[in-house]
Amino acid sequence: MSDLSQARILVTGASGGLGRPLVQQLAAAGATLVVSARDAGRLADLPGTAVAADLSTPGGPAEVVERAVAELGGLDGLVHAAGVVAFGPVTDADDDLLDEVLLADLVGPIRLLRAAVEPLTAAAKDRGDAFAAVVSAVVAETPMPHMAAYSAAKAGLSAFDAALGKELRRAKVRVLDIRPPHTETGLATRPVAGTAPKLPQGLDPEAVATRIVTALREDETDLPSSAFS
């Protein structure tokens, strides 16, 4: 069991539909937080120190990790809950759209994890453990038509998480890959392209956040879609 009390945690995508309940539950557990999103104004009502960051830029991920380490005096955990979605046939996805989706959902998170390895490893030496938790999506398991770029990005991110987790096992840094089913975060109503198909009622973000925090406490390293049923 991991004690989240006083854990120093960076949460990215903190202003989103899943990020908000994650931040609130982590704060209730006693964690000390840096909360990050592109728009700092949307972080004003959240607990923790707000740091604006654009993870799709080359230097954005490293900068937010550096800021978090400076604010917190180290980094015991990272929770990544940011991303974008696009809908439509592959033939409608031009290079600019592909770049936007892959930067936000694959390259940016990889850069973020890479930047966090050193401070998380240092924290694990002191505490005995540290973690990086990454919210992917059910499409990493079941790619969906008209969501090809998004599905590919999430599948790639899940593969990266699994490989990184194996690399960091001896350092006692857990990498938790999280693939919840459709959740009512509002993301599908804000696509960067296309229109969402008719979707069934999604999961409650509060319940999904609770399951994720439980996984962090119980030292889990994988949360497939079936773990949310």
Side-chain angles (χ1 to χ4, degrees), residues 88-151:
V90 169
T91 51
D92 287 354
D94 61 18
D95 286 349
D96 288 341
L97 178 59
L98 291 176
D99 285 348
E100 183 174 6
V101 172
L102 293 175
L103 280 169
D105 293 335
L106 178 60
V107 178
I110 286 175
R111 288 170 171 162
L112 181 73
L113 288 163
R114 182 182 62 187
V117 166
E118 185 175 341
L120 289 174
T121 300
K125 288 181 179 178
D126 293 336
R127 285 172 48 98
D129 74 309
F131 66 82
V134 182
V135 178
S136 179
V138 65
V139 294
E141 302 172 354
T142 308
M144 296 298 293
H146 295 272
M147 299 176 68
Y150 182 69
S151 298

Short mmCIF file of all heavy atoms in Angstrom, two decimals, residues 88-151:
data_model
loop_
_atom_site.label_atom_id
_atom_site.label_comp_id
_atom_site.label_asym_id
_atom_site.label_seq_id
_atom_site.Cartn_x
_atom_site.Cartn_y
_atom_site.Cartn_z
N GLY A 88 -13.62 11.35 -37.52
CA GLY A 88 -13.74 11.46 -38.97
C GLY A 88 -12.91 10.40 -39.67
O GLY A 88 -12.03 9.77 -39.08
N PRO A 89 -13.17 10.19 -40.95
CA PRO A 89 -12.42 9.20 -41.72
C PRO A 89 -10.96 9.59 -41.89
O PRO A 89 -10.61 10.78 -41.84
CB PRO A 89 -13.14 9.16 -43.07
CG PRO A 89 -13.87 10.45 -43.16
CD PRO A 89 -14.23 10.84 -41.76
N VAL A 90 -10.13 8.59 -42.07
CA VAL A 90 -8.70 8.82 -42.22
C VAL A 90 -8.41 9.79 -43.36
O VAL A 90 -7.51 10.64 -43.26
CB VAL A 90 -7.97 7.48 -42.46
CG1 VAL A 90 -6.53 7.71 -42.89
CG2 VAL A 90 -8.01 6.63 -41.20
N THR A 91 -9.17 9.69 -44.43
CA THR A 91 -8.91 10.56 -45.59
C THR A 91 -9.18 12.03 -45.31
O THR A 91 -8.73 12.89 -46.07
CB THR A 91 -9.76 10.10 -46.79
OG1 THR A 91 -11.14 9.99 -46.38
CG2 THR A 91 -9.28 8.76 -47.31
N ASP A 92 -9.90 12.34 -44.25
CA ASP A 92 -10.16 13.74 -43.89
C ASP A 92 -9.09 14.31 -42.96
O ASP A 92 -9.11 15.50 -42.67
CB ASP A 92 -11.52 13.87 -43.20
CG ASP A 92 -12.67 13.71 -44.16
OD1 ASP A 92 -12.41 13.62 -45.38
OD2 ASP A 92 -13.83 13.65 -43.70
N ALA A 93 -8.20 13.46 -42.48
CA ALA A 93 -7.18 13.90 -41.51
C ALA A 93 -5.94 14.39 -42.27
O ALA A 93 -5.15 13.57 -42.75
CB ALA A 93 -6.82 12.77 -40.57
N ASP A 94 -5.77 15.71 -42.36
CA ASP A 94 -4.59 16.23 -43.04
C ASP A 94 -3.39 16.20 -42.09
O ASP A 94 -3.50 15.80 -40.92
CB ASP A 94 -4.84 17.64 -43.60
CG ASP A 94 -5.18 18.66 -42.51
OD1 ASP A 94 -4.91 18.41 -41.31
OD2 ASP A 94 -5.72 19.72 -42.86
N ASP A 95 -2.24 16.63 -42.60
CA ASP A 95 -1.02 16.56 -41.80
C ASP A 95 -1.11 17.40 -40.54
O ASP A 95 -0.60 17.00 -39.48
CB ASP A 95 0.19 17.01 -42.64
CG ASP A 95 0.60 15.98 -43.67
OD1 ASP A 95 0.10 14.84 -43.61
OD2 ASP A 95 1.42 16.31 -44.54
N ASP A 96 -1.73 18.57 -40.63
CA ASP A 96 -1.84 19.43 -39.45
C ASP A 96 -2.65 18.76 -38.35
O ASP A 96 -2.30 18.84 -37.16
CB ASP A 96 -2.47 20.77 -39.82
CG ASP A 96 -1.54 21.65 -40.64
OD1 ASP A 96 -0.31 21.41 -40.61
OD2 ASP A 96 -2.04 22.58 -41.30
N LEU A 97 -3.74 18.10 -38.73
CA LEU A 97 -4.56 17.42 -37.73
C LEU A 97 -3.82 16.24 -37.12
O LEU A 97 -3.85 16.04 -35.90
CB LEU A 97 -5.87 16.95 -38.35
CG LEU A 97 -6.81 16.19 -37.41
CD1 LEU A 97 -7.18 17.03 -36.21
CD2 LEU A 97 -8.05 15.71 -38.16
N LEU A 98 -3.13 15.46 -37.95
CA LEU A 98 -2.36 14.34 -37.42
C LEU A 98 -1.29 14.83 -36.45
O LEU A 98 -1.09 14.24 -35.38
CB LEU A 98 -1.71 13.57 -38.57
CG LEU A 98 -2.64 12.77 -39.48
CD1 LEU A 98 -1.85 12.14 -40.61
CD2 LEU A 98 -3.39 11.71 -38.70
N ASP A 99 -0.62 15.92 -36.82
CA ASP A 99 0.39 16.48 -35.91
C ASP A 99 -0.24 16.89 -34.59
O ASP A 99 0.32 16.63 -33.51
CB ASP A 99 1.06 17.69 -36.55
CG ASP A 99 2.05 17.32 -37.65
OD1 ASP A 99 2.38 16.12 -37.77
OD2 ASP A 99 2.48 18.22 -38.39
N GLU A 100 -1.39 17.54 -34.65
CA GLU A 100 -2.04 18.01 -33.42
C GLU A 100 -2.42 16.86 -32.49
O GLU A 100 -2.16 16.89 -31.28
CB GLU A 100 -3.28 18.83 -33.77
CG GLU A 100 -3.97 19.43 -32.55
CD GLU A 100 -5.12 20.36 -32.91
OE1 GLU A 100 -5.45 20.47 -34.12
OE2 GLU A 100 -5.68 20.98 -32.00
N VAL A 101 -3.03 15.82 -33.06
CA VAL A 101 -3.45 14.69 -32.25
C VAL A 101 -2.26 13.91 -31.69
O VAL A 101 -2.22 13.57 -30.50
CB VAL A 101 -4.38 13.76 -33.07
CG1 VAL A 101 -4.68 12.47 -32.29
CG2 VAL A 101 -5.67 14.47 -33.42
N LEU A 102 -1.29 13.64 -32.53
CA LEU A 102 -0.14 12.84 -32.09
C LEU A 102 0.74 13.60 -31.10
O LEU A 102 1.30 13.00 -30.18
CB LEU A 102 0.67 12.37 -33.29
CG LEU A 102 -0.06 11.37 -34.21
CD1 LEU A 102 0.77 11.06 -35.43
CD2 LEU A 102 -0.41 10.09 -33.46
N LEU A 103 0.86 14.91 -31.28
CA LEU A 103 1.63 15.70 -30.31
C LEU A 103 0.94 15.71 -28.95
O LEU A 103 1.58 15.56 -27.90
CB LEU A 103 1.83 17.13 -30.82
CG LEU A 103 2.94 17.33 -31.83
CD1 LEU A 103 2.86 18.73 -32.44
CD2 LEU A 103 4.30 17.13 -31.18
N ALA A 104 -0.37 15.91 -28.95
CA ALA A 104 -1.10 16.01 -27.69
C ALA A 104 -1.24 14.66 -26.98
O ALA A 104 -1.17 14.59 -25.76
CB ALA A 104 -2.48 16.62 -27.93
N ASP A 105 -1.45 13.60 -27.75
CA ASP A 105 -1.82 12.32 -27.16
C ASP A 105 -0.71 11.28 -27.12
O ASP A 105 -0.88 10.23 -26.49
CB ASP A 105 -3.01 11.73 -27.92
CG ASP A 105 -4.27 12.56 -27.74
OD1 ASP A 105 -4.38 13.26 -26.73
OD2 ASP A 105 -5.15 12.52 -28.64
N LEU A 106 0.40 11.54 -27.80
CA LEU A 106 1.50 10.57 -27.81
C LEU A 106 2.85 11.22 -27.54
O LEU A 106 3.51 10.92 -26.54
CB LEU A 106 1.54 9.82 -29.14
CG LEU A 106 2.66 8.80 -29.32
CD1 LEU A 106 2.58 7.71 -28.26
CD2 LEU A 106 2.63 8.19 -30.71
N VAL A 107 3.26 12.14 -28.39
CA VAL A 107 4.61 12.71 -28.26
C VAL A 107 4.73 13.54 -26.99
O VAL A 107 5.72 13.42 -26.24
CB VAL A 107 4.97 13.55 -29.51
CG1 VAL A 107 6.35 14.17 -29.35
CG2 VAL A 107 4.91 12.68 -30.76
N GLY A 108 3.76 14.39 -26.73
CA GLY A 108 3.81 15.22 -25.52
C GLY A 108 3.87 14.39 -24.25
O GLY A 108 4.73 14.62 -23.38
N PRO A 109 2.97 13.40 -24.08
CA PRO A 109 3.06 12.55 -22.89
C PRO A 109 4.37 11.79 -22.78
O PRO A 109 4.89 11.60 -21.67
CB PRO A 109 1.87 11.59 -23.07
CG PRO A 109 0.91 12.35 -23.90
CD PRO A 109 1.74 13.16 -24.84
N ILE A 110 4.92 11.33 -23.91
CA ILE A 110 6.22 10.64 -23.87
C ILE A 110 7.30 11.60 -23.37
O ILE A 110 8.13 11.24 -22.52
CB ILE A 110 6.58 10.07 -25.25
CG1 ILE A 110 5.73 8.84 -25.55
CG2 ILE A 110 8.07 9.71 -25.33
CD1 ILE A 110 5.92 8.27 -26.94
N ARG A 111 7.30 12.81 -23.88
CA ARG A 111 8.27 13.81 -23.41
C ARG A 111 8.08 14.09 -21.92
O ARG A 111 9.05 14.26 -21.17
CB ARG A 111 8.12 15.10 -24.20
CG ARG A 111 8.62 15.02 -25.64
CD ARG A 111 8.22 16.25 -26.41
NE ARG A 111 8.86 16.30 -27.73
CZ ARG A 111 8.43 17.06 -28.74
NH1 ARG A 111 7.35 17.84 -28.57
NH2 ARG A 111 9.05 17.05 -29.90
N LEU A 112 6.83 14.14 -21.48
CA LEU A 112 6.54 14.39 -20.07
C LEU A 112 7.10 13.27 -19.20
O LEU A 112 7.76 13.52 -18.17
CB LEU A 112 5.03 14.51 -19.88
CG LEU A 112 4.53 14.79 -18.47
CD1 LEU A 112 4.84 16.23 -18.07
CD2 LEU A 112 3.03 14.54 -18.37
N LEU A 113 6.84 12.03 -19.59
CA LEU A 113 7.35 10.89 -18.83
C LEU A 113 8.87 10.87 -18.82
O LEU A 113 9.48 10.61 -17.77
CB LEU A 113 6.80 9.60 -19.42
CG LEU A 113 5.31 9.33 -19.16
CD1 LEU A 113 4.78 8.28 -20.11
CD2 LEU A 113 5.10 8.91 -17.71
N ARG A 114 9.47 11.14 -19.96
CA ARG A 114 10.93 11.17 -20.04
C ARG A 114 11.50 12.20 -19.08
O ARG A 114 12.48 11.93 -18.36
CB ARG A 114 11.36 11.47 -21.47
CG ARG A 114 12.87 11.48 -21.68
CD ARG A 114 13.21 11.85 -23.11
NE ARG A 114 12.74 13.20 -23.44
CZ ARG A 114 12.78 13.72 -24.66
NH1 ARG A 114 13.22 13.00 -25.67
NH2 ARG A 114 12.35 14.94 -24.88
N ALA A 115 10.88 13.37 -19.03
CA ALA A 115 11.36 14.43 -18.14
C ALA A 115 11.18 14.07 -16.67
O ALA A 115 11.95 14.52 -15.81
CB ALA A 115 10.64 15.74 -18.45
N ALA A 116 10.16 13.26 -16.37
CA ALA A 116 9.86 12.94 -14.98
C ALA A 116 10.69 11.79 -14.43
O ALA A 116 10.74 11.59 -13.20
CB ALA A 116 8.38 12.59 -14.84
N VAL A 117 11.36 11.03 -15.29
CA VAL A 117 12.09 9.84 -14.83
C VAL A 117 13.11 10.18 -13.76
O VAL A 117 13.17 9.54 -12.69
CB VAL A 117 12.77 9.12 -16.02
CG1 VAL A 117 13.80 8.11 -15.51
CG2 VAL A 117 11.73 8.42 -16.87
N GLU A 118 13.93 11.19 -14.00
CA GLU A 118 15.00 11.50 -13.03
C GLU A 118 14.45 11.91 -11.67
O GLU A 118 14.88 11.35 -10.64
CB GLU A 118 15.92 12.59 -13.60
CG GLU A 118 17.12 12.88 -12.71
CD GLU A 118 18.09 13.86 -13.34
OE1 GLU A 118 18.04 14.05 -14.57
OE2 GLU A 118 18.91 14.44 -12.59
N PRO A 119 13.53 12.88 -11.57
CA PRO A 119 13.04 13.23 -10.24
C PRO A 119 12.24 12.11 -9.58
O PRO A 119 12.31 11.96 -8.34
CB PRO A 119 12.16 14.47 -10.49
CG PRO A 119 11.85 14.47 -11.93
CD PRO A 119 13.02 13.82 -12.60
N LEU A 120 11.51 11.32 -10.34
CA LEU A 120 10.78 10.21 -9.74
C LEU A 120 11.73 9.14 -9.20
O LEU A 120 11.52 8.58 -8.12
CB LEU A 120 9.82 9.59 -10.76
CG LEU A 120 8.60 10.42 -11.16
CD1 LEU A 120 7.84 9.73 -12.28
CD2 LEU A 120 7.69 10.67 -9.97
N THR A 121 12.80 8.88 -9.95
CA THR A 121 13.79 7.91 -9.49
C THR A 121 14.47 8.39 -8.21
O THR A 121 14.70 7.60 -7.28
CB THR A 121 14.84 7.67 -10.59
OG1 THR A 121 14.19 7.16 -11.76
CG2 THR A 121 15.89 6.67 -10.14
N ALA A 122 14.78 9.67 -8.15
CA ALA A 122 15.39 10.23 -6.94
C ALA A 122 14.44 10.11 -5.75
O ALA A 122 14.85 9.76 -4.64
CB ALA A 122 15.77 11.69 -7.18
N ALA A 123 13.15 10.37 -5.98
CA ALA A 123 12.18 10.26 -4.89
C ALA A 123 12.03 8.83 -4.42
O ALA A 123 11.90 8.56 -3.22
CB ALA A 123 10.82 10.81 -5.36
N ALA A 124 12.06 7.88 -5.36
CA ALA A 124 11.93 6.48 -5.00
C ALA A 124 13.08 6.01 -4.12
O ALA A 124 12.89 5.17 -3.23
CB ALA A 124 11.84 5.61 -6.25
N LYS A 125 14.26 6.56 -4.34
CA LYS A 125 15.40 6.21 -3.49
C LYS A 125 15.17 6.66 -2.06
O LYS A 125 15.57 5.99 -1.11
CB LYS A 125 16.68 6.84 -4.05
CG LYS A 125 17.18 6.19 -5.33
CD LYS A 125 18.46 6.86 -5.81
CE LYS A 125 18.98 6.21 -7.07
NZ LYS A 125 20.20 6.88 -7.59
N ASP A 126 14.52 7.80 -1.90
CA ASP A 126 14.28 8.35 -0.57
C ASP A 126 13.06 7.71 0.10
O ASP A 126 13.09 7.39 1.29
CB ASP A 126 14.06 9.86 -0.64
CG ASP A 126 15.32 10.62 -1.04
OD1 ASP A 126 16.42 10.08 -0.83
OD2 ASP A 126 15.19 11.73 -1.59
N ARG A 127 11.98 7.53 -0.66
CA ARG A 127 10.70 7.06 -0.10
C ARG A 127 10.51 5.56 -0.20
O ARG A 127 9.69 4.98 0.53
CB ARG A 127 9.54 7.72 -0.85
CG ARG A 127 9.27 9.17 -0.54
CD ARG A 127 8.22 9.74 -1.51
NE ARG A 127 7.05 8.88 -1.66
CZ ARG A 127 5.91 9.06 -1.01
NH1 ARG A 127 5.79 10.06 -0.15
NH2 ARG A 127 4.88 8.26 -1.22
N GLY A 128 11.20 4.93 -1.13
CA GLY A 128 11.00 3.51 -1.38
C GLY A 128 10.09 3.24 -2.56
O GLY A 128 9.99 2.11 -3.02
N ASP A 129 9.41 4.30 -3.06
CA ASP A 129 8.59 4.13 -4.25
C ASP A 129 8.22 5.50 -4.82
O ASP A 129 8.32 6.52 -4.14
CB ASP A 129 7.31 3.34 -3.95
CG ASP A 129 6.29 4.17 -3.17
OD1 ASP A 129 6.69 4.77 -2.15
OD2 ASP A 129 5.13 4.24 -3.60
N ALA A 130 7.81 5.50 -6.09
CA ALA A 130 7.28 6.68 -6.76
C ALA A 130 6.44 6.15 -7.92
O ALA A 130 6.48 4.95 -8.23
CB ALA A 130 8.40 7.59 -7.27
N PHE A 131 5.66 7.03 -8.55
CA PHE A 131 4.78 6.52 -9.60
C PHE A 131 4.55 7.56 -10.68
O PHE A 131 4.64 8.76 -10.46
CB PHE A 131 3.42 6.08 -9.03
CG PHE A 131 2.60 7.21 -8.46
CD1 PHE A 131 1.82 8.01 -9.30
CD2 PHE A 131 2.59 7.47 -7.10
CE1 PHE A 131 1.06 9.04 -8.79
CE2 PHE A 131 1.84 8.51 -6.58
CZ PHE A 131 1.08 9.30 -7.43
N ALA A 132 4.23 7.04 -11.87
CA ALA A 132 3.71 7.84 -12.98
C ALA A 132 2.45 7.15 -13.45
O ALA A 132 2.49 5.97 -13.84
CB ALA A 132 4.73 7.94 -14.11
N ALA A 133 1.32 7.86 -13.41
CA ALA A 133 0.03 7.32 -13.82
C ALA A 133 -0.43 8.06 -15.06
O ALA A 133 -0.52 9.30 -15.04
CB ALA A 133 -0.99 7.46 -12.70
N VAL A 134 -0.73 7.34 -16.11
CA VAL A 134 -1.05 7.95 -17.40
C VAL A 134 -2.42 7.48 -17.85
O VAL A 134 -2.66 6.28 -18.01
CB VAL A 134 0.00 7.57 -18.46
CG1 VAL A 134 -0.32 8.24 -19.79
CG2 VAL A 134 1.40 7.96 -17.98
N VAL A 135 -3.34 8.43 -18.07
CA VAL A 135 -4.67 8.09 -18.56
C VAL A 135 -4.61 7.96 -20.07
O VAL A 135 -4.38 8.93 -20.79
CB VAL A 135 -5.70 9.16 -18.15
CG1 VAL A 135 -7.08 8.79 -18.71
CG2 VAL A 135 -5.76 9.30 -16.63
N SER A 136 -4.81 6.75 -20.55
CA SER A 136 -4.90 6.49 -21.98
C SER A 136 -6.39 6.42 -22.32
O SER A 136 -7.13 7.34 -22.01
CB SER A 136 -4.16 5.19 -22.31
OG SER A 136 -4.25 4.89 -23.68
N ALA A 137 -6.87 5.36 -22.94
CA ALA A 137 -8.28 5.24 -23.28
C ALA A 137 -8.57 3.82 -23.72
O ALA A 137 -7.65 3.08 -24.10
CB ALA A 137 -8.67 6.22 -24.38
N VAL A 138 -9.83 3.44 -23.71
CA VAL A 138 -10.22 2.11 -24.12
C VAL A 138 -9.85 1.83 -25.57
O VAL A 138 -9.65 0.67 -25.96
CB VAL A 138 -11.73 1.90 -23.89
CG1 VAL A 138 -12.56 2.82 -24.78
CG2 VAL A 138 -12.13 0.44 -24.08
N VAL A 139 -9.72 2.89 -26.40
CA VAL A 139 -9.36 2.67 -27.81
C VAL A 139 -7.94 2.13 -27.96
O VAL A 139 -7.58 1.65 -29.03
CB VAL A 139 -9.54 3.95 -28.65
CG1 VAL A 139 -11.00 4.35 -28.74
CG2 VAL A 139 -8.67 5.09 -28.11
N ALA A 140 -7.13 2.19 -26.91
CA ALA A 140 -5.81 1.55 -26.95
C ALA A 140 -5.96 0.03 -27.03
O ALA A 140 -5.10 -0.67 -27.57
CB ALA A 140 -5.00 1.93 -25.72
N GLU A 141 -7.07 -0.48 -26.50
CA GLU A 141 -7.36 -1.91 -26.55
C GLU A 141 -8.21 -2.27 -27.76
O GLU A 141 -8.03 -3.35 -28.35
CB GLU A 141 -8.11 -2.33 -25.28
CG GLU A 141 -7.39 -2.05 -24.00
CD GLU A 141 -8.25 -2.30 -22.77
OE1 GLU A 141 -9.45 -2.59 -22.92
OE2 GLU A 141 -7.70 -2.19 -21.66
N THR A 142 -9.14 -1.40 -28.11
CA THR A 142 -10.08 -1.65 -29.20
C THR A 142 -10.12 -0.43 -30.11
O THR A 142 -10.92 0.49 -29.90
CB THR A 142 -11.50 -1.94 -28.66
OG1 THR A 142 -11.43 -2.97 -27.67
CG2 THR A 142 -12.44 -2.36 -29.79
N PRO A 143 -9.24 -0.35 -31.11
CA PRO A 143 -9.22 0.81 -32.01
C PRO A 143 -10.57 0.98 -32.70
O PRO A 143 -11.22 -0.01 -33.07
CB PRO A 143 -8.11 0.48 -33.00
CG PRO A 143 -7.25 -0.52 -32.29
CD PRO A 143 -8.17 -1.32 -31.44
N MET A 144 -10.98 2.23 -32.87
CA MET A 144 -12.31 2.52 -33.41
C MET A 144 -12.23 3.22 -34.76
O MET A 144 -11.38 4.09 -34.97
CB MET A 144 -13.07 3.42 -32.43
CG MET A 144 -13.35 2.77 -31.09
SD MET A 144 -14.40 1.31 -31.23
CE MET A 144 -15.94 2.07 -31.77
N PRO A 145 -13.11 2.84 -35.71
CA PRO A 145 -13.17 3.57 -36.98
C PRO A 145 -13.57 5.01 -36.74
O PRO A 145 -14.27 5.33 -35.77
CB PRO A 145 -14.25 2.81 -37.76
CG PRO A 145 -15.09 2.14 -36.72
CD PRO A 145 -14.16 1.80 -35.61
N HIS A 146 -13.10 5.88 -37.60
CA HIS A 146 -13.34 7.32 -37.50
C HIS A 146 -12.68 7.94 -36.26
O HIS A 146 -12.98 9.06 -35.90
CB HIS A 146 -14.85 7.64 -37.52
CG HIS A 146 -15.50 7.27 -38.82
ND1 HIS A 146 -15.57 8.12 -39.89
CD2 HIS A 146 -16.08 6.11 -39.21
CE1 HIS A 146 -16.18 7.52 -40.90
NE2 HIS A 146 -16.48 6.29 -40.51
N MET A 147 -11.79 7.15 -35.64
CA MET A 147 -10.97 7.65 -34.53
C MET A 147 -9.57 7.07 -34.68
O MET A 147 -8.91 6.75 -33.70
CB MET A 147 -11.57 7.25 -33.18
CG MET A 147 -12.95 7.80 -32.91
SD MET A 147 -13.66 7.20 -31.35
CE MET A 147 -12.58 7.99 -30.15
N ALA A 148 -9.11 6.91 -35.92
CA ALA A 148 -7.87 6.17 -36.17
C ALA A 148 -6.65 6.82 -35.55
O ALA A 148 -5.83 6.15 -34.91
CB ALA A 148 -7.67 5.98 -37.67
N ALA A 149 -6.50 8.14 -35.74
CA ALA A 149 -5.32 8.81 -35.19
C ALA A 149 -5.33 8.77 -33.67
O ALA A 149 -4.31 8.52 -33.03
CB ALA A 149 -5.25 10.25 -35.70
N TYR A 150 -6.49 9.02 -33.10
CA TYR A 150 -6.63 8.97 -31.63
C TYR A 150 -6.34 7.57 -31.11
O TYR A 150 -5.61 7.40 -30.13
CB TYR A 150 -8.05 9.41 -31.27
CG TYR A 150 -8.36 9.47 -29.80
CD1 TYR A 150 -7.78 10.43 -28.98
CD2 TYR A 150 -9.27 8.58 -29.23
CE1 TYR A 150 -8.09 10.50 -27.62
CE2 TYR A 150 -9.58 8.63 -27.88
CZ TYR A 150 -8.99 9.60 -27.08
OH TYR A 150 -9.30 9.66 -25.74
N SER A 151 -6.90 6.56 -31.77
CA SER A 151 -6.66 5.17 -31.36
C SER A 151 -5.18 4.82 -31.43
O SER A 151 -4.62 4.18 -30.53
CB SER A 151 -7.47 4.22 -32.24
OG SER A 151 -8.85 4.43 -32.12
#
